[in-house]
Amino acid sequence: MEKNQNQNAERQNRGDNESNNNRNNRRRSNPFRSTNKQNTENTQTRNGTEKREKQQENSKNSSGNSRNDNRRNSGNNNRNRNQNNRNQNRGSSGGGGRSRGGRRPKIDTTVPADMKAAILENERVQQERMNPWKQLDLGAKGKLRFTPLGGLGEIGGNIAVLETENDAIIIDVGMSFPDETMHGVDILVPDFSYLHAIKDKIRAIVITHAHEDHIGAVPYLFKELKFPIYGTPLALAMIGNKFDEHGLQADKKYFNYIIKRKIYELGEFKVEFMHMTHSIIDACSLAIQTPIGTLIHTADFKIDHTPIDGYTADLHRFAHYGAQGVLCLFSDSTNSHNPGFTKSESVVGKTFDNLFEMAKGRVIMSTFSSNAHRIFQAIERGVKHGRKICVIGRSMERNIETVRRLGYIEVDDRHFIDAHEVNKYKDSEVLVVTTGSQGETMAALSRMATDEHRHIKLKPTDTVIISASAIPGNEASVSKLLNLLLKAGVTVRYKECSDIHVSGHASQEEQKLILRLVQPKFFLPVHGEYNHIAAHARTAVSCGVDERNILLMSDGDQIEITPKYIKKVKTVKTGKRYIDNQNNKEIYADVVDDRQKLSTEGIVNIVAQISSQTGKIVDKPVVTSHGLVPDREDKQFSKEIEQLLESHLLHSKIDPSTSPKVIEDDIRGAVRKHILKRYKKYPIIIPTVFLV
C-alpha cells in the first residue's frame, strides 16, 4: 500500500511538471497562427517525455528494493506532506501570485474571440495606414512618362517633362554654372531639342520657386517656344525682370499667377501648388493628379518650423494626399548625405547679432541675391545698430526692389543710401549688402577685393561676412576670394562662425518625414548628383518603400510609370548650351571647344606660298605658335615645320593645281602627326596656302 502511495505521489509530481511544461509551450506559441508542424512537435515532445519518465520509474523501483524500508517510508511521507502543503498554498492564493516556495499559479491563456478579432482588425488597419497607395486602382489604363532634361548628375539646371499620350507639362526651366574649362561662358542652359519634338502636346510650364537653377533658362526657352507659365507672384516677377533684359516684355501675357491650394487643370493634369519652406520666399511643392494616380513633387525644400515670415510648410496637404494614396513621389536629394535636420533660417539672425556687435567699422555682407529672408535679417540688424544700407550688385538691387515692391519685406526708404554716398557716413554707420559670395570674377565683392570697385575701397577696419556656402564647382573661386580679402587686411567671417549660413535643403530626417507622410508606391529621387540620389534611395527603403519600386535616373532617362510598374523605356537627347551674359547670346559648342583647346594645347599658324606648277614651296613659310613651345624655341620650331613641309610636299601626290583648301587639309594632317609624335600635343593648326 505504501508503495502504491509513493507511486501515486511521483505520478502527481510528474503531472504537475508536465502541466507546467505545456503551459510554457502555449505561452511561447502564437495563439492565432498555430500550425500542424507545431502540433506535431508538441506531440513528439510529450511522447518523448513520457518514455523517459517510464524508464526513470522502472529504475527507481528496481533500486528501491535494496533500500531501508523505514527510510523509504519516512521519505515518502515527507513528500506527501510537502505536496499537500503546495496544493493548499495554490488553492489559498486565489490565482493572485505565487506563494513562498510554491509553483507558478495556473494562468488561463485562452484569448477570447472578441479580443482576437480586435487584434487582427488592428493589424489590418495598420497595414492599410502604412500602405495607402493600395487604395489606387491598380487596373487603371494609361501610362505616364517622366523625363528629366537637367538637374540629375549635377547641382542646378533643373528641368523635367511629365507627359501622357496627349498632354505634357514642363516642371521648371533652370540654368547652371560652367566649370573652369568653359572659358568666356557665364551660364549653361538646357538643350531644348526634346521640347521641340513634343511641342504640340505641351500645355504649360509649372514653376516651383524663383531660384536661378529653376527659372534662369526661361527667357532662352521663350526665344524658341512659348507656353503658358504658372507660378507664384514672386517667381513670375523675377522671370518678368529677365524678360525685360531680353526684350521679351510682350511675353508676360503668358503669365498665370497661382493661388496655393487651388487646383489648376492643365490638359489631363490637375496641379495644386502647396506652400513649402526653402531658402527663398514663396517656394512650392506640387500635387499632380493624373488619370492613373496622384504624383507629389517636393521641388527644393526643407522643413523649417520657425521660418522668418511665419509660413510653415503645408504638411497638411502632404498628409491629405498621402492618406488618399500617392502613386509616385519625386523628392529633393541635395542634402541626402546629411543626418538629422537642417537648421532653421532664424538661427542665422542670432549669428548676425553677435557679428554686428563685434564690428567696429563697416560691415559688408554677401549672400545669394535670391535669399530675401537672409538679406532681410542682415538689413534688420543694420537698422537696429543705426547703419545705413547700401545695396551693390545688379541682381541684388533688382531682387531687393522686387520683394519690397511686392510687400514680402518692409524696410523704409530712409534707411537706404547709394554707393556714392557711403563715404559721407562714419564706417560704423554703414552696412553694404552685395553680390559675389561665390567668388564670381565680375561680382561686386571680387572687384572690392582686387581694389577695382569705383566706390568701395576696403579698409582694415572692415568686417566682411560671407553668408553662403560654395556651390559644388565654385570652391576654387571662393578660396581665391577669401585669399584676396585677407590680403586686403579685412576681418572675414565665414565658415568658422557657427550658423553663419544654413542650407535650404532637407536633411535625412526631413526627407523621412515627407516619405512617411506621403507613403508612395514608387519613389524617384531628383535634384542632385548620382551619389545624392543613391543616398536618398537608401533613406526611402528604410522608410518602407520597396527597393524594387525605386529607380535612379540620369538626365535624358525617360521613365514610364503605370499603377503596376515603373521602368526606363528610352533615353532622349540632353545637353547644355553656353551663354555669354554680356550680350545674353549663345556661344556655340565648337567655339568653347576651341577655347579649351587653346588653353591646354596651343595653336600653330602656317602661311605658305606654293607653286601651282611644281607643288613646291615658293618662299620661306611663316610659322608662328602660341602655347606649344617656349618663346626662345620659336625659331627652331619654325625651321622644324619648314623642313617638314618641304619634305612632305616633295612626296605628296596631291595635284598642285587643285584648290588651296585640299592642300591646307593635307598640310594640317602632316603637321598634326608630327607635333603629336614630337610634343605629345593636339594644338589647333591653321594653315593658309596661296597658289602662285
Side-chain angles (χ1 to χ4, degrees):
M1 182 174 179
E2 290 177 349
K3 183 176 181 180
N4 291 335
Q5 288 176 347
N6 293 338
Q7 291 175 347
N8 291 335
E10 289 175 356
R11 290 193 187 97
Q12 187 172 359
N13 289 336
R14 287 196 301 270
D16 288 343
N17 291 335
E18 184 175 348
S19 177
N20 289 333
N21 288 334
N22 290 337
R23 284 197 297 271
N24 289 335
N25 288 334
R26 285 198 296 273
R27 283 195 294 271
R28 285 193 293 269
S29 63
N30 189 324
F32 310 131
R33 293 181 175 80
S34 60
T35 63
N36 292 332
K37 180 179 179 181
Q38 290 174 327
N39 295 334
T40 301
E41 290 175 351
N42 291 337
T43 301
Q44 292 173 348
T45 301
R46 286 195 298 269
N47 293 338
T49 301
E50 292 174 355
K51 183 176 181 180
R52 286 193 300 272
E53 290 172 346
K54 188 173 182 179
Q55 292 173 349
Q56 291 172 359
E57 181 181 352
N58 293 334
S59 176
K60 289 179 181 178
N61 290 337
S62 62
S63 62
N65 294 329
S66 60
R67 294 177 183 174
N68 183 282
D69 288 342
N70 292 331
R71 291 176 58 191
R72 184 180 59 201
N73 293 338
S74 176
N76 288 339
N77 291 334
N78 289 335
R79 282 197 297 273
N80 289 338
R81 284 194 297 271
N82 291 337
Q83 182 63 43
N84 292 333
N85 289 335
R86 284 195 292 271
N87 292 338
Q88 290 174 1
N89 288 335
R90 283 201 299 269
S92 63
S93 65
R98 187 190 306 179
S99 61
R100 184 174 181 180
R103 285 190 173 83
R104 185 185 299 276
K106 184 175 181 180
I107 299 175
D108 183 6
T109 59
T110 303
V111 177
D114 55 347
M115 181 186 292
K116 182 190 298 185
I119 292 173
L120 294 175
E121 180 64 14
N122 275 318
E123 184 173 350
R124 184 190 65 79
V125 170
Q126 294 284 49
Q127 289 300 320
E128 287 184 358
R129 180 177 68 85
M130 299 303 292
N131 299 281
W133 55 265
K134 291 185 178 180
Q135 303 172 65
L136 299 171
D137 181 6
L138 300 183
K141 302 297 182 183
K143 299 176 182 177
L144 298 173
R145 290 194 175 183
F146 180 81
T147 312
L149 302 178
L152 285 168
E154 61 178 333
I155 302 296
N158 299 289
I159 177 174
V161 178
L162 181 65
E163 59 185 300
T164 64
E165 291 297 324
N166 304 312
D167 301 305
I169 58 174
I170 303 170
I171 302 174
D172 292 328
V173 188
M175 48 77 71
S176 54
F177 293 102
D179 60 37
E180 63 276 5
T181 67
M182 302 175 185
H183 304 284
V185 178
D186 295 310
I187 64 171
L188 306 175
V189 301
D191 186 319
F192 301 128
S193 299
Y194 184 68
L195 302 184
H196 282 275
I198 63 168
K199 63 182 180 180
D200 293 334
K201 64 190 293 188
I202 296 176
R203 302 293 171 248
I205 301 171
V206 176
I207 300 296
T208 60
H209 63 283
H211 271 150
E212 289 292 323
D213 60 335
H214 291 258
I215 67 169
V218 173
Y220 299 97
L221 174 60
F222 264 67
K223 291 177 182 179
E224 303 176 28
L225 299 167
K226 304 180 192 296
F227 308 106
I229 182 168
Y230 290 76
T232 63
L234 178 61
L236 296 186
M238 290 192 171
I239 293 174
N241 292 338
K242 295 180 178 297
F243 279 14
D244 292 339
E245 292 179 3
H246 288 260
L248 300 173
Q249 292 88 344
D251 289 335
K252 292 181 183 179
K253 65 184 180 183
Y254 290 96
F255 288 0
N256 293 271
Y257 302 99
I258 65 95
I259 298 173
K260 294 170 185 176
R261 288 195 167 193
K262 181 179 178 180
I263 294 177
Y264 295 85
E265 294 193 17
L266 309 175
E268 294 183 89
F269 302 102
K270 295 179 180 180
V271 181
E272 177 183 340
F273 292 77
M274 304 180 293
H275 183 77
M276 179 50 71
T277 46
H278 185 39
S279 54
I280 191 170
I281 295 171
D282 238 6
C284 291
S285 298
L286 305 173
I288 307 171
Q289 299 178 52
T290 75
I292 63 170
T294 300
L295 315 178
I296 298 292
H297 195 303
T298 66
D300 288 355
F301 80 101
K302 66 188 281 187
I303 305 299
D304 192 340
H305 297 297
T306 56
I308 301 303
D309 58 7
Y311 297 126
T312 56
D314 196 352
L315 300 178
H316 303 81
R317 298 305 291 169
F318 283 86
H320 165 76
Y321 283 108
Q324 291 183 342
V326 171
L327 181 62
C328 186
L329 171 66
F330 307 86
S331 189
D332 173 20
S333 305
T334 307
N335 276 359
S336 54
H337 287 294
N338 295 1
F341 294 86
T342 300
K343 291 186 178 181
S344 169
E345 178 66 28
S346 60
V347 304
V348 179
K350 298 175 183 178
T351 301
F352 282 170
D353 284 332
N354 296 331
L355 297 181
F356 275 76
E357 287 285 349
M358 292 188 291
K360 303 303 179 184
R362 296 179 300 186
V363 174
I364 301 171
M365 195 282 292
S366 181
T367 189
F368 298 108
S369 63
S370 60
N371 196 338
H373 281 156
R374 184 75 50 82
I375 297 167
F376 175 69
Q377 290 191 89
I379 291 176
E380 196 174 39
R381 270 66 184 180
V383 171
K384 176 182 175 182
H385 288 82
R387 295 177 181 268
K388 293 294 183 181
I389 315 302
C390 175
V391 181
I392 298 178
R394 185 178 64 175
S395 62
M396 185 73 74
E397 293 171 6
R398 183 182 61 216
N399 289 346
I400 291 178
E401 188 276 330
T402 299
V403 295
R404 291 182 65 207
R405 173 167 52 88
L406 297 180
Y408 288 104
I409 63 174
E410 295 182 4
V411 183
D412 197 280
D413 289 342
R414 63 188 174 88
H415 296 296
F416 291 90
I417 60 174
D418 293 329
H420 68 271
E421 298 178 287
V422 167
N423 293 328
K424 297 179 182 180
Y425 295 86
K426 296 179 181 179
D427 289 351
S428 60
E429 297 176 349
V430 174
L431 166 64
V432 177
V433 180
T434 183
T435 56
S437 63
Q438 296 303 298
E440 306 96 316
T441 304
M442 299 304 296
L445 186 58
S446 289
R447 288 187 284 118
M448 295 177 198
T450 55
D451 199 28
E452 296 175 0
H453 198 276
R454 183 169 56 171
H455 299 294
I456 306 297
K457 305 297 181 182
L458 295 180
K459 303 176 182 180
T461 56
D462 291 340
T463 297
V464 177
I465 301 173
I466 300 179
S467 184
S469 60
I471 295 173
N474 290 351
E475 293 87 354
S477 300
V478 174
S479 179
K480 180 180 178 181
L481 172 64
L482 292 173
N483 291 332
L484 291 171
L485 291 171
L486 292 171
K487 286 180 180 179
V490 303
T491 300
V492 179
R493 306 294 189 186
Y494 188 41
K495 288 183 177 180
E496 72 279 359
C497 297
S498 175
D499 298 334
I500 198 170
H501 170 72
V502 295
S503 174
H505 297 273
S507 296
Q508 290 176 3
E509 295 305 314
E510 295 149 281
Q511 293 173 344
K512 291 176 183 177
L513 175 59
I514 294 298
L515 284 160
R516 286 303 190 183
L517 284 174
V518 173
Q519 300 282 19
K521 179 175 183 180
F522 300 119
F523 178 61
L524 294 175
V526 294
H527 299 176
E529 298 175 1
Y530 196 86
N531 68 89
H532 298 130
I533 64 173
H536 202 173
R538 291 192 294 271
T539 299
V541 171
S542 72
C543 288
V545 180
D546 191 329
E547 62 182 347
R548 295 171 297 180
N549 291 345
I550 301 173
L551 284 182
L552 305 186
M553 303 177 290
S554 299
D555 286 344
D557 289 349
Q558 188 163 90
I559 307 302
E560 185 172 277
I561 306 172
T562 74
K564 294 182 178 179
Y565 65 83
I566 55 172
K567 66 178 181 179
K568 176 183 173 182
V569 291
K570 68 176 181 178
T571 301
V572 305
K573 181 183 178 184
T574 60
K576 300 296 181 184
R577 294 162 61 181
Y578 309 109
I579 303 297
D580 183 347
N581 260 353
Q582 301 305 310
N583 54 21
N584 288 327
K585 291 185 177 180
E586 181 178 357
I587 306 171
Y588 291 102
D590 56 344
V591 175
V592 177
D593 290 342
D594 286 346
R595 291 175 180 177
Q596 292 174 346
K597 204 167 188 179
L598 284 169
S599 69
T600 58
E601 307 293 335
I603 183 173
V604 176
N605 291 296
I606 303 169
V607 180
Q609 292 181 329
I610 297 177
S611 171
S612 59
Q613 303 296 323
T614 63
K616 296 181 180 180
I617 295 177
V618 173
D619 201 357
K620 184 177 180 180
V622 177
V623 180
T624 58
S625 69
H626 299 279
L628 183 62
V629 296
D631 290 344
R632 65 178 180 272
E633 297 179 12
D634 278 345
K635 290 184 179 180
Q636 178 182 343
F637 178 75
S638 179
K639 186 175 182 180
E640 181 182 322
I641 298 301
E642 179 183 347
Q643 293 173 349
L644 171 69
L645 293 179
E646 289 177 351
S647 174
H648 177 72
L649 292 173
L650 183 64
H651 300 90
S652 176
K653 298 180 180 180
I654 295 178
D655 184 356
S657 62
T658 189
S659 74
K661 187 176 185 309
V662 175
I663 300 176
E664 288 170 357
D665 290 341
D666 183 53
I667 290 174
R668 183 181 293 108
V671 174
R672 177 179 292 113
K673 185 177 180 180
H674 171 78
I675 291 177
L676 175 60
K677 183 178 180 180
R678 176 83 165 77
Y679 298 96
K680 303 296 188 290
K681 291 288 186 180
Y682 295 88
I684 294 175
I685 301 170
I686 306 177
T688 304
V689 171
F690 297 96
L691 294 177
V692 295

